[in-house]
Amino acid sequence: MQIYADNAATTALSPKVLEAMTPYLTEVFGNPSSLYRIGAKAKDAVEAARAEIAELIGAKNANEIYFTSGGSEADNWAIKGVCKMLKLKGKNHIITTRFEHHAVLHVCEGLAKEGFEVTYLDVYENGIVKPEDVKSAIKDTTALVTVMYANNEIGTIQPIAEIGRICREAGVLFHTDAVQAMGNVPINVEEECIDLLSLTGHKFHGPKGCGALYVRRGVRIANLIDGGAQERSKRAGTENVAGIVGLAKALELAVSTMDERRERLTKMRNRLIDGLLNIEKSRLNGDRDSRLPGNVNMCFEGIEGESLLLKLDLAGVSASSGSACTSGSLDPSHVLLSLGLPHEIAHGSLRLSFSDDNTEEEIDYLLKVIPETVSYLRSFSPLWDKIKSE
Ligand SMILES: *Cc1c(COP(=O)(O)O)cnc(C)c1O
């Protein structure tokens, strides 16, 4: 059996999305900035996609959507772009959390080197930010609060509407990296008082290399790329027309099937969690309920996450030990450490993330193969012998 259980890293392109994109990779190849019909057709497709995405996230205006090359670019642009403008007004403080994606954390670290002060909020043992912590961290110099919508490793969903309201009342801009949540939980930028939001297509069966940044009208943000007049002159460069069409199509499909998928995946996920918790010295990382429907993240004491992944790969299972960007390094995940887990436990973690393509039969197989593999690895682990004898 071959099981793809790493949908938090990326998802398979939906055949319907590919079908929507294909004309824009073939006959409709014109440059959207040109005046003849084949260009105008491409331009129309880009603008239709912009309007559709705006509507799907509850934005008031299509021109609040800027297309980017993905989530990392949107995060970089949101944070650097806002901070550059507000620094001129004497605002040099950023509030974020300890467990953001590196596309946020590394940007904050860079800004710290330029003189910004960064407050990293605790996410506690359940992996959830407390809105009152945001409130007490805000001060006169705060330029931006950036808190992810749902965490990419442990899947915990944050109280975004509450944080948004606190920021709005305090007159502070609020950005959320909604890359993992988009298409999986209902999101409305107006109702949730979100000023800037990042999303990317390849996490919901769209193409890689195409995402968007929502910037609420009236928010001043520095240009990302100077050049032509594309994206209201803020992000120059000929548009990735097929990617943009695919992004909108994928989001439309994800949102229209969300309720059904949420119900099905939550059931599957809970069955897997309950089964895996029967393994001795195992634990679920992150809150069980405020959690993305398709996310399972477990620790098994006494084994290395990397060896577990290699064994599972041989058994046909593609999974992850956390962030795709950090695997390959032997440092334990900053997300698991932010929950207060000791290094040796944070090493033995396994993330399984599911999509519409996964089945109950696959869960049956995982419930057989994971316990077997954990026992096998523990059978020659000196660490496990020590844990057992304690
Ligand atoms: C995947 C991911 C990103 C990066 O998106 P790319 O499109 O790969 O640049 C950013 N933030 C989160 C939470 C992610 O899961």
Side-chain angles (χ1 to χ4, degrees), residues 259-275:
D259 292 345
E260 229 176 300
R261 178 173 60 254
R262 258 217 293 188
E263 202 181 311
R264 195 175 78 87
L265 290 188
T266 302
K267 267 192 211 137
M268 270 170 55
R269 169 199 88 188
N270 287 346
R271 186 161 77 89
L272 182 60
I273 290 173
D274 289 335

Side-chain angles (χ1 to χ4, degrees), residues 164-214:
R165 209 170 317 117
I166 287 167
C167 294
R168 189 62 56 86
E169 277 165 15
V172 171
L173 293 178
F174 176 42
H175 165 252
T176 186
D177 172 345
V179 165
Q180 289 290 329
M182 192 54 65
N184 290 314
V185 297
I187 293 179
N188 185 302
V189 291
E190 281 295 328
E191 286 170 13
E192 296 170 86
C193 300
I194 296 165
D195 296 307
L196 302 109
L197 176 145
S198 308
L199 62 92
T200 188
H202 74 103
K203 302 286 172 85
F204 45 80
H205 303 284
K208 291 172 184 56
C210 192
L213 177 66
Y214 160 78

Side-chain angles (χ1 to χ4, degrees), residues 293-328:
N295 176 289
V296 174
N297 187 309
M298 310 275 302
C299 280
F300 306 104
E301 284 184 47
I303 58 173
E304 286 278 350
E306 313 279 318
S307 352
L308 180 57
L309 288 185
L310 293 176
K311 275 280 164 205
L312 287 177
D313 184 29
L314 292 175
V317 178
S318 306
S320 159
S321 64
S323 170
C325 321
T326 43
S327 44

Side-chain angles (χ1 to χ4, degrees), residues 32-44:
S33 300
S34 51
L35 294 174
Y36 36 79
R37 263 168 299 164
I38 192 174
K41 232 176 141 177
K43 171 97 181 159
D44 289 348

